[in-house]
């Protein structure tokens, strides 16, 4: 048994299942939200064709693409966190031991990530709810689309980000306990629970 397999065996099956389930939510939501690029690009292509080939620009294409991009950004953030795609101070972090990285991650999640995301979630929910109750429309656009569906992506994305944050904190705890990077893409454990 390799050192990595031995360390992975120290993680309780319940923790493995929880991490796997939470990660699955982020992977699924990220992949589902990525489909928004198709109508977004379609709207932009439609605008370019209508504007430059038919000299008849649309009043809706830019708004649709901006709304879809904003929602996509919010809903794909948990997937980005799950895959390690967010920016960090790698010129310090990369030289640290696995345990030092793990304890730093735990500290950052508990004292910065979770409090900030919960606060943003509260504000984002109120922002969405106010828009929904008023039936808010964009006054910046001549066709005045409803705005609340895009604003709903804020609390939804933050909820999904909190879910992934729980998974990342649990992973950091077991990296600290075992001294092994059990969930990195380079060190995927062979056995599944």
């Amino acid at each position: 048994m390799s050192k990595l397999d031995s360390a992975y065996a120290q993680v309780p099956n319940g923790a493995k299942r929880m991490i796997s389930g939470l990660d699955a939510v982020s992977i699924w939501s990220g992949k589902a939200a990525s489909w928004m690029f198709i109508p977004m690009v379609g709207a932009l292509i439609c605008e370019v064709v209508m504007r430059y080939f038919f000299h008849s620009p649309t009043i809706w294409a830019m708004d649709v693409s901006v709304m879809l991009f904003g929602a996509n950004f919010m809903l794909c953030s948990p997937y980005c966190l799950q895959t390690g795609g967010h920016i960090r101070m790698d010129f310090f972090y990369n030289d640290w031991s696995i345990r030092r990285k793990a304890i730093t991650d735990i500290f950052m999640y508990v004292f910065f990530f979770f409090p900030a995301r919960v606060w943003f979630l509260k504000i984002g929910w109120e922002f969405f709810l106010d828009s929904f109750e008023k039936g808010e429309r964009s006054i910046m656009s001549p066709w005045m689309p409803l705005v609340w569906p895009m604003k709903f992506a804020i609390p939804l994305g933050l909820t999904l980000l909190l879910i992934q944050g729980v998974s990342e904190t649990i992973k950091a705890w077991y990296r600290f306990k075992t001294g092994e990077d059990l969930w990195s893409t380079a060190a995927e454990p062979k056995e599944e629970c």
Side-chain angles (χ1 to χ4, degrees):
M1 184 183 286
S2 75
K3 186 177 175 186
L4 187 62
D5 290 334
S6 175
Y8 191 68
Q10 294 176 37
V11 180
N13 285 335
K16 291 176 191 174
R17 282 192 295 274
M18 179 177 261
I19 290 167
S20 179
L22 296 174
D23 284 355
V25 170
S26 295
I27 291 167
W28 179 86
S29 65
K31 288 181 177 181
S34 71
W35 285 95
M36 288 184 200
F37 279 113
I38 294 171
M40 182 180 75
V41 170
L44 290 172
I45 290 170
C46 179
E47 174 63 20
V48 168
V49 168
M50 293 302 292
R51 179 179 300 262
Y52 294 107
F53 291 103
F54 298 105
H55 305 290
S56 180
T58 67
I59 62 171
W60 56 268
M62 188 63 178
D63 296 324
V64 166
S65 61
V66 167
M67 288 183 202
L68 288 172
F69 181 77
N72 179 273
F73 178 82
M74 291 302 298
L75 298 175
C76 287
S77 291
Y79 178 76
C80 188
L81 181 60
Q82 193 272 333
T83 58
H86 286 285
I87 297 170
R88 65 174 85 214
M89 300 296 281
D90 285 342
F91 61 90
F92 290 124
Y93 191 83
N94 283 344
D95 293 333
W96 292 349
S97 70
I98 291 172
R99 282 199 166 99
R100 185 172 182 186
K101 288 178 188 178
I103 200 68
T104 301
D105 288 345
I106 292 167
F107 178 83
M108 297 304 276
Y109 278 111
V110 170
F111 292 104
F112 294 102
F113 180 87
F114 288 115
R117 294 313 168 282
V118 168
W119 185 64
F120 290 148
L121 178 59
K122 178 187 178 305
I123 291 169
W125 179 256
E126 291 168 357
F127 189 58
F128 154 71
L129 202 54
D130 183 55
S131 178
F132 180 75
E133 288 171 348
K134 290 178 181 175
E136 183 181 8
R137 294 183 174 272
S138 173
I139 59 170
M140 305 297 282
S141 173
W143 68 293
M144 298 181 66
L146 284 171
V147 177
W148 68 261
M150 181 185 66
K151 289 185 177 182
F152 180 67
I154 297 168
L156 179 59
L158 287 165
T159 300
L160 293 168
L161 202 55
L162 282 166
I163 289 169
Q164 187 58 40
V166 170
S167 174
E168 296 303 314
T169 305
I170 296 168
K171 290 175 193 175
W173 173 251
Y174 286 106
R175 282 197 315 271
F176 175 73
K177 279 186 75 169
T178 64
E180 293 293 332
D181 197 359
L182 300 171
W183 287 275
S184 77
T185 53
E188 286 289 326
K190 293 179 183 75
E191 64 180 81
E192 288 297 320
C193 53

